[in-house]
Amino acid sequence: MSSASIKQGVNTYAEALHPEHAGDVLQEGERWATEEDMSTLRRVADKIPTAAYFVVLTEFCERFTYYGITGPFQNYISNGYQVPNSRPGAIGGGQQMATGLSNFFQFFCYLCPILGAIIADQWLGKYKTILLFSLVYILGNLVLTLTALPVSIRAGGALPGMVIAMITIGLGTGGIKANVSPMVAEQYSRFRPFVRRLKNGKEVLVDRELTIQSIFNWFYWAINVGGLSAIATTELEANVDFWAAYLLPTLMFVFCIVVFWLGRNKYIVSKPTGSIVIKAYRTGRAGLRNYRLAKKENRLVMNESGKKVSWIDYAKPSLAVDSSFMDWDDRFVDELRTAIRSCKIFLCYPIFWLCYGQISNNLISQSGQMNTGSVPNDIMQNIDPLCIIILIPVFDLLIYPGFRRCGLELRPVTRITIGFLVAALAMAYAAIIQHLVYTTGPYYTHPAEGENGFNHISAGLQVPAYILIAIAEIFASVTGLEYAYKQAPESMKSIVMSIFLFTNAGGSILAFCFNSIAVNPHLVENFAIVSGLMGAFTILFFVCFRHYDQRDADEIMDKTMFEKQANEY
C-alpha cells in the first residue's frame, strides 16, 4: 500500500473518531505532530481560510457603518442646529444628554447580543441570524438618516428619530455581534497540531491556538479599519450636514449584506443545537440542589487528586440519585462547567470598557475644549483605530513571534493584565491633560462658553492617550474575543461570546454613574477615578486568574496527547 493510501486511511479514521474534526486532513508535506515535536519545534499559525476573509470583510462593513454613525453623535446631540460661531449640532441637548444617550446606545448594543446568541444557538444558526438582524440594522440606519434631514431637525424630529434609530440599530448590532466573531473562527476547521515542512527544509509545528489568535488579530484589525469611517462622517458633518454623514454608512451597510450573502457557499455553518439556555439553567439548578443534598447527607464526592468536585458536577446523571428527569449527559455538564469557568475571567472587563468608552464621549468633549485648528474635534477619536491598524500587524508578525522565539509565551491572562494596566495609564494621562486644559486660559475651568469656546492648548497633546488605549485594546479586547471563543464548548460559543460582549454593556452602566462628574469643571476627577478603578481591578484580576495560563496550557497538552493516542489506536 502506498504512503498516500495509508495517509488517506489515517485521515478517514480520524474523521470517524472525531466527526467535529473533519477538517483535520493532512496535506502534502505535512504529518501529525509527536510529543517530541510539541516540545521542540517552533510553533506557527496556519494560513487563514478564504471563507474567513468573507466574514472579516462583512465585519469591516458593519463596523464602518457603526462607527460612521456614532462618530458625529456627540456633536449631533450636544450642540444646537446651525448656531452661529458654534460647532455643528442638531438637538442642542448639552454634553450630559449627549454622554448619557451615547452610553445608553452602547449599553443597548452590547445587551442585545444575548438575544442574538439565543436565536442563533436554538433556532436559526449563525448565518441566518446575521442576515435577519442585518435587515433590522439597515432599517435603523434609514430612520437615522431621514430624521437628520434639515426639515426634520427644524420640526423637532431629530431627538425621537435618534432614539428610535438607537433601539433598532442596537437590536441589529446585537444579532450580528454575537455570531460574527465565533463564525469567523469556525471557518478554520483543523484541530490537531501537525508538522509542516517549509521550502527551506525546516519543520514547524502548526498550532491551532496560534491560528485562532491570528484570526482574531486580523478580525480586530478589520474592525478598526472600518472604524476610520468616522473621519469621513465627521468631515461630512462639518462641511455638508448630518444627513450626508449618516447616508454614507447606510449605503455601506447595503454593501455589507451583499458581501456576506456572496460568501454563502464557502462558509462552514454550524447547525443550531437546541434550547441551550434553558437546558443550562435546568442543569445548574439540578447541580445546586444535588450538591446541597449531598453536603447535608455527608456524601460529597472526591476527584482523582483527592479534592471535592465542583457543585456543577452533581448535575451529572452518573452522580445523581435520580436521573430520570435529566435530558443531558455527563459531557454536557463538563461543557457547562468549562463555559462557567471561562466567563469568570470576564468579570473585570466592565471597568476596561469604562476606560475605552471615554474616547467616544469625554475625550471628544475634552478636545472640544482645546485648539484643534481647522480639524473637527470629534475626528480625534480616529487616532485610536489608526494606531490599531498599524500596531496589530506588528504584534502579530513581530512581537508575539519574537517572544515565542525567546521561549516566552504571552498567554491570555498575561496579555489581558498588560492591557488593563495600559488602559489605567491612558486614563491617568487624560486626567493630566484635562488639568492642563483647566489651567490654561482664556476660559480655564469653563471652556466652550466664549465666542471661540476653547482654551489655548493644542489638542495634539491628546495623542498619547489614544495610542495607549489602542495598545490596551490589542492586549485586552482582542485576547478577550479569542479567549471567549477558544474556551467555550462547541454548543455554547455564541452564548459565551455574547456574555463577553455584555461586559461592554456593563461598562456603559458604570459610565451612567459618572454622568454627574462628566462635565466641567469635574472632568479631572472623572478621568482620575476611572484610572484608579482600572488600576485596582488590574491587580485584582491578576491575583485571581494568574494560574489560568498554566492550567489552560496543561489542558491543551493533555487534550493533544489524548487525541494522538486515540489516532494511534
Side-chain angles (χ1 to χ4, degrees), residues 40-234:
T40 59
L41 292 182
R42 179 167 65 91
R43 297 165 64 223
V44 299
D46 203 357
K47 297 176 183 177
I48 298 176
T50 302
Y53 284 112
F54 274 90
V55 184
V56 167
L57 185 57
T58 301
E59 178 68 358
F60 157 75
C61 296
E62 188 276 329
R63 290 291 92 181
F64 183 102
T65 305
Y66 178 86
Y67 288 110
I69 63 173
T70 55
F73 270 6
Q74 194 78 2
N75 283 349
Y76 186 76
I77 301 168
S78 180
N79 305 324
Y81 188 57
Q82 294 183 344
V83 177
N85 299 317
S86 178
R87 298 188 186 277
I91 295 173
Q95 182 180 332
Q96 278 189 303
M97 177 189 281
T99 301
L101 278 176
S102 295
N103 287 332
F104 162 75
F105 180 62
Q106 187 173 345
F107 164 77
F108 192 65
C109 283
Y110 289 97
L111 171 67
C112 290
I114 294 176
L115 174 64
I118 292 172
I119 291 174
D121 283 347
Q122 297 188 21
W123 295 298
L124 297 182
K126 297 180 183 67
Y127 174 73
K128 291 181 180 178
T129 301
I130 292 172
L131 278 181
L132 173 64
F133 279 86
S134 293
L135 300 177
V136 177
Y137 197 121
I138 201 165
L139 177 62
N141 284 329
L142 290 172
V143 170
L144 181 64
T145 304
L146 293 175
T147 55
L149 291 168
V151 63
S152 175
I153 294 174
R154 293 192 181 98
L159 180 58
M162 165 149 279
V163 172
I164 293 171
M166 281 182 166
I167 294 172
T168 311
I169 293 171
L171 284 169
T173 301
I176 295 171
K177 290 294 289 181
N179 296 293
V180 72
S181 301
M183 186 172 176
V184 71
E186 284 176 358
Q187 304 316 303
Y188 184 72
S189 58
R190 306 190 75 169
F191 284 77
R192 294 191 297 278
F194 59 92
V195 174
R196 175 179 291 156
R197 185 177 294 277
L198 303 178
K199 292 181 179 179
N200 61 10
K202 291 184 178 180
E203 290 187 329
V204 292
L205 178 71
V206 182
D207 189 285
R208 175 177 172 80
E209 298 292 308
L210 297 184
T211 306
I212 296 299
Q213 179 182 334
S214 181
I215 287 174
F216 277 114
N217 276 333
W218 290 102
F219 179 78
Y220 206 78
W221 183 86
I223 288 174
N224 284 274
V225 174
L228 293 178
S229 62
I231 296 176
T233 56
T234 51

Side-chain angles (χ1 to χ4, degrees), residues 222-520:
I223 288 174
N224 284 274
V225 174
L228 293 178
S229 62
I231 296 176
T233 56
T234 51
E235 285 292 332
L236 286 169
E237 157 207 328
N239 299 303
V240 184
D241 208 341
F242 283 100
W243 65 266
Y246 295 141
L247 178 61
L248 175 63
T250 301
L251 295 175
M252 177 56 82
F253 198 77
V254 175
F255 180 67
C256 168
I257 298 174
V258 172
V259 167
F260 187 66
W261 181 79
L262 286 174
R264 66 194 182 280
N265 295 326
K266 298 180 180 296
Y267 300 135
I268 295 174
V269 180
S270 58
K271 297 179 180 179
T273 53
S275 303
I276 292 295
V277 174
I278 298 173
K279 194 180 199 179
Y281 168 74
R282 292 175 57 236
T283 304
R285 186 178 63 180
L288 280 173
R289 185 177 63 247
N290 292 345
Y291 170 73
R292 289 170 183 165
L293 186 61
K295 188 176 181 180
K296 183 179 179 180
E297 296 176 356
N298 197 26
R299 52 179 180 84
L300 295 176
V301 180
M302 303 293 179
N303 59 23
E304 294 177 356
S305 59
K307 296 181 179 180
K308 295 177 181 177
V309 299
S310 172
W311 63 271
I312 194 66
D313 286 308
Y314 288 89
K316 291 181 176 179
S318 61
L319 294 180
V321 176
D322 178 16
S323 61
S324 60
F325 66 95
M326 296 180 175
D327 58 351
W328 58 85
D329 55 17
D330 286 8
R331 179 181 177 182
F332 180 80
V333 177
D334 287 332
E335 290 182 346
L336 183 59
R337 184 180 61 247
T338 301
I340 293 172
R341 188 181 66 188
S342 64
C343 289
K344 289 180 182 178
I345 209 168
F346 305 150
L347 291 175
C348 293
Y349 266 90
I351 305 297
F352 172 78
W353 295 123
L354 175 64
C355 293
Y356 172 77
Q358 304 298 308
I359 70 173
S360 61
N361 44 59
N362 289 322
L363 280 175
I364 292 177
S365 297
Q366 184 185 79
S367 62
Q369 301 163 13
M370 306 170 77
N371 187 358
T372 61
S374 59
V375 176
N377 69 304
D378 47 8
I379 207 172
M380 295 293 292
Q381 62 187 306
N382 294 286
I383 296 171
D384 171 67
L386 275 171
C387 290
I388 290 176
I389 290 167
I390 295 169
L391 291 175
I392 278 184
V394 174
F395 274 79
D396 191 62
L397 301 175
L398 296 175
I399 295 178
Y400 289 148
F403 272 99
R404 287 195 293 272
R405 285 190 178 96
C406 297
L408 299 172
E409 182 77 24
L410 291 179
R411 299 201 65 84
V413 170
T414 303
R415 280 182 271 148
I416 294 169
T417 302
I418 295 172
F420 285 176
L421 178 60
V422 175
L425 294 175
M427 292 299 100
Y429 181 82
I432 294 171
I433 296 302
Q434 191 64 51
H435 174 73
L436 293 176
V437 171
Y438 284 160
T439 54
T440 305
Y443 305 108
Y444 298 101
T445 58
H446 293 84
E449 293 183 359
E451 182 178 347
N452 293 318
F454 57 83
N455 286 327
H456 294 165
I457 180 171
S458 173
L461 291 173
Q462 278 193 319
V463 172
Y466 287 107
I467 294 174
L468 289 171
I469 291 172
I471 294 171
E473 283 184 76
I474 294 171
F475 278 115
S477 184
V478 177
T479 306
L481 286 170
E482 172 198 335
Y483 195 87
Y485 176 80
K486 290 196 300 188
Q487 294 297 316
E490 290 298 322
S491 61
M492 303 180 192
K493 290 197 180 295
S494 289
I495 290 292
V496 173
M497 185 65 71
S498 70
I499 293 172
F500 171 69
L501 294 172
F502 180 71
T503 63
N504 205 315
S508 299
I509 293 173
L510 290 174
F512 279 116
C513 302
F514 284 78
N515 261 8
S516 61
I517 59 172
V519 292
N520 295 321

